[in-house]
């Protein structure tokens, strides 16, 4: 089991290295104020997510990534893709749409963690509100630019946590997946914000 978890981590690490090395081509322009606000929001959500992970790690000893990866598969916690944001031919409409859809997914996953633990509840609430506000902000900007699809995406099927342990482990995984989702998004936003 630990070998499989280690292989999964190494595979994910190798994929991340390839994505990091891929340069981004210029992709049209978005309003500079929008990009700066997005960068600020991403940093805030990353800080909130890191705080939730640290609190769950120190309070409930959920610090072993290998075990959590295996548990994540059994709990059925989905990850949001950002494939339209990492290619050399950056598709602005597709990237914003995937970014918004991912935020909607994580908003639902964070909502599914309600009741995680009294110590972590305030951090979880802050994180959930920040993700919801950011998703709304992205959607409004997409509408203003005429890039929004006719219908907003929905969250789809979310995992059901049947015990306090599953909810706490799910909290660590959701926060970790959210961080992994935001890293390439931050990179793209920073690239687009360059003059």
């Amino acid at each position: 089991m630990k070998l499989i978890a280690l292989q999964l981590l190494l595979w994910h690490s190798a994929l991340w290295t390839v994505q990091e090395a891929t340069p981004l081509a210029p992709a049209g322009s978005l309003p500079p104020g929008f990009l700066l606000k997005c960068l600020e929001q991403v940093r805030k959500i990353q800080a909130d997510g890191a705080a939730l992970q640290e609190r769950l790690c120190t309070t409930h000893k959920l610090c072993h990534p290998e075990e959590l990866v295996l548990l994540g598969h059994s709990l059925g916690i989905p990850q949001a893709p950002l494939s339209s944001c990492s290619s050399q031919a950056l598709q602005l409409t597709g990237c914003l749409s995937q970014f918004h859809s991912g935020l909607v997914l994580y908003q639902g996953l964070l909502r599914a963690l309600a009741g995680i633990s009294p110590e972590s509840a305030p951090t979880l609430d802050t994180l959930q509100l920040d993700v919801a506000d950011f998703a709304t902000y992205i959607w409004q900007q997409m509408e203003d630019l005429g890039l929004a699809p006719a219908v907003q995406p929905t969250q789809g099927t979310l995992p059901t946590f049947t015990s306090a342990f599953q909810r706490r482990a799910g909290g660590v995984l959701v926060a970790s997946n959210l961080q992994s989702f935001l890293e390439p998004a931050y990179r793209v936003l920073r690239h687009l914000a360059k003059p």
Side-chain angles (χ1 to χ4, degrees):
M1 288 283 219
K2 287 185 178 181
L3 180 62
I4 292 171
L6 183 59
Q7 287 173 332
L8 284 171
L9 286 172
L10 288 172
W11 178 76
H12 182 267
S13 172
L15 259 179
W16 180 251
T17 303
V18 170
Q19 284 182 347
E20 277 293 302
T22 306
L24 294 172
S29 60
L30 290 169
F34 167 71
L35 293 169
L36 292 175
K37 171 89 170 164
C38 286
L39 288 167
E40 179 184 312
Q41 285 292 104
V42 168
R43 284 191 295 267
K44 184 169 184 348
I45 292 170
Q46 285 177 319
D48 293 343
L52 179 63
Q53 279 181 285
E54 185 174 328
R55 183 172 294 276
L56 289 169
C57 178
T58 55
T59 307
H60 302 289
K61 306 298 180 227
L62 294 167
C63 307
H64 304 288
E66 305 87 18
E67 295 171 7
L68 290 169
V69 167
L70 294 174
L71 190 57
H73 291 298
S74 69
L75 291 175
I77 296 175
Q79 291 184 327
L82 268 181
S83 55
S84 295
C85 298
S86 61
S87 67
Q88 287 193 4
L90 177 64
Q91 297 288 326
L92 193 56
T93 303
C95 183
L96 281 176
S97 184
Q98 274 191 332
F99 193 38
H100 177 263
S101 296
L103 289 170
V104 169
L105 171 68
Y106 287 109
Q107 182 183 350
L109 288 169
L110 291 166
R111 192 176 309 117
L113 295 171
I116 193 166
S117 71
E119 310 86 29
S120 302
T123 308
L124 178 65
D125 291 345
T126 300
L127 184 57
Q128 187 177 339
L129 284 172
D130 287 344
V131 169
D133 288 347
F134 195 19
T136 301
Y137 182 67
I138 295 281
W139 183 260
Q140 288 171 344
Q141 188 65 41
M142 288 172 65
E143 284 184 331
D144 291 348
L145 295 171
L147 302 176
V151 179
Q152 282 202 37
T154 57
Q155 293 164 355
T157 306
L158 298 174
T160 303
F161 303 107
T162 57
S163 69
F165 172 76
Q166 282 187 355
R167 187 169 282 111
R168 291 174 189 144
V172 174
L173 287 163
V174 168
S176 175
N177 291 350
L178 179 58
Q179 299 284 39
S180 296
F181 171 76
L182 290 174
E183 285 169 6
Y186 183 80
R187 184 173 155 259
V188 168
L189 289 165
R190 196 177 61 212
H191 169 77
L192 293 173
K194 286 181 184 172

